Amino acid sequence: MINPLRSAVVRPIFQSATIMILADITTQLLVEKRSLYFAADDQTQTPTRHEPAAVEERTASSSSSPTRLDHHYDPIRTLRWATIGLTLHGPYFFLTFRKLDRLMTTTTTTNSLFLVAKKTAIAQLVIFPPYLVALFAYLGVMEQSGGSSNVDYDEIATRVRVRVPEAFASGCMFWPFANGINFAFVPAGMRVPYLASVGGLWNGYLSNMNARKGGDGK
């Protein structure tokens, strides 16, 4: 017999992963202006007798610059965000919002605005912060592991302490409005697509912030 909860969570998980993929690709190509292709001077070249100095200079510059590949699209970074969508973002928000709806359901309209405000406050102050902590810690482990077991947990803890307050402060200017619309006007059956859609903007911001602060791309 199929578990109803397991069946219900599958759709939002894959929606979340899809949005994460699209948001990171869009961020890399349109916001960070990365290229899908390597430029000609990034390829291995054989010096000619006409321009040995120029080629040697390009080769030395390429080998001495650790951030040169930051100018090109990073599919591994997108894969990490897809993993976040599948294993953290999708299931976490599906289960927490489902629980929130069940705990705070009313059939009256006299306190509907109060109910919306209360749900929005709980989502922002109770549900959102643990997600940010888990998100940046999870990204740190994936970025550092790279197929090995050498993970600097002190560095990850420092990253969490620095980035979570910044992301939370930025989220306070975005998610209360998005969740207010969600709880007030969006039918329960359409909440996951709505959150996935507006979440694409936010996930693009987080992806860019994580890369800009020295996470992805290094």
Side-chain angles (χ1 to χ4, degrees), residues 72-145:
H72 306 292
Y73 170 69
D74 182 2
I76 302 301
R77 168 175 147 179
T78 301
L79 180 60
R80 283 196 285 264
W81 282 99
T83 304
I84 291 289
L86 284 171
T87 60
L88 175 62
H89 182 275
Y92 178 81
F93 282 105
F94 171 79
L95 294 174
T96 54
F97 274 47
R98 184 171 182 263
K99 186 70 172 179
L100 182 62
D101 278 336
R102 290 188 172 184
L103 289 175
M104 305 180 67
T105 300
T106 180
T107 57
T108 65
T109 58
T110 55
N111 63 343
S112 60
L113 291 178
F114 175 71
L115 181 66
V116 168
K118 194 157 60 168
K119 282 185 175 182
T120 301
I122 291 175
Q124 186 66 25
L125 300 176
V126 178
I127 296 176
F128 190 45
Y131 167 73
L132 289 177
V133 173
L135 170 68
F136 286 112
Y138 197 3
L139 281 171
V141 171
M142 287 193 289
E143 289 162 6
Q144 286 194 23
S145 60

Side-chain angles (χ1 to χ4, degrees), residues 25 29 33-38 71-74:
I25 291 175
L29 299 183
K33 306 297 184 183
R34 299 190 182 208
S35 172
L36 281 172
Y37 304 100
F38 286 89
H71 296 297
H72 306 292
Y73 170 69
D74 182 2

Side-chain angles (χ1 to χ4, degrees), residues 32-50:
E32 299 171 9
K33 306 297 184 183
R34 299 190 182 208
S35 172
L36 281 172
Y37 304 100
F38 286 89
D41 63 350
D42 286 329
Q43 307 303 317
T44 302
Q45 300 183 26
T46 302
T48 67
R49 60 183 177 182
H50 299 291

